[in-house]
């Protein structure tokens, strides 16, 4: 028993102006944990209504922000020696969260 995920590639920006993240699933299992959820991309492939997908994206973003703030408050209230490293990781996570992650990027990933 182990963690596996579907390998994928982030596609270059398409000509559409709808700011959707463009993911192509490679139908290849890759060992390890996937660090993000691509359920919204799967919903698009399944042709779920756009209004439902947009609402789900909003709620997922709210949940990510809530978790990030909880982690930040917990870190700031601790007196741990590795607090600086934890803050750096949280800062990087916040940058990814608040970046324009909803648009297609030209970088590829298989995680």
């Amino acid at each position: 028993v182990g963690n596996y995920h579907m390998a994928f590639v982030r596609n270059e920006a398409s000509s559409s102006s709808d700011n959707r993240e463009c993911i192509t699933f490679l139908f290849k299992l890759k060992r390890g944990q996937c660090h993000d959820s691509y359920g919204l991309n799967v919903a698009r492939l399944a042709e779920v209504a756009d209004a439902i997908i947009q609402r789900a994206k909003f709620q997922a973003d709210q949940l990510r922000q809530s978790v990030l703030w909880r982690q930040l408050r917990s870190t700031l209230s601790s007196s741990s020696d590795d607090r600086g490293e934890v803050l750096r990781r949280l800062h990087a996570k916040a940058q990814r969260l608040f970046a324009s992650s909803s648009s297609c990027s030209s970088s590829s990933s298989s995680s």
Side-chain angles (χ1 to χ4, degrees), residues 12-100:
E12 292 185 24
S14 64
S15 60
S16 66
S17 61
D18 56 9
N19 283 339
R20 290 182 182 175
E21 183 176 44
C22 298
I23 298 290
T24 301
F25 292 102
L26 301 177
F27 298 97
K28 177 181 175 185
L29 282 179
K30 186 170 180 182
R31 186 173 193 82
Q33 178 182 355
C34 188
H35 297 288
D36 205 354
S37 172
Y38 295 98
L40 297 176
N41 299 87
V42 173
R44 280 189 206 101
L45 290 172
E47 298 180 0
V48 172
D50 282 340
I52 294 171
I53 293 172
Q54 290 304 314
R55 178 69 179 156
K57 182 181 181 332
F58 175 79
Q59 290 180 323
D61 289 345
Q62 294 292 97
L63 178 61
R64 283 188 193 107
Q65 288 176 14
S66 174
V67 168
L68 185 64
W69 281 113
R70 210 172 319 131
Q71 289 173 333
L72 183 59
R73 281 193 303 267
S74 173
T75 301
L76 291 176
S77 66
S78 74
S79 60
S80 173
D81 291 337
D82 64 343
R83 192 162 109 176
E85 177 58 31
V86 172
L87 285 173
R88 279 188 286 281
R89 286 196 318 261
L90 287 173
H91 182 258
K93 187 186 282 188
Q95 285 181 318
R96 287 191 307 270
L97 175 64
F98 296 113
S100 57

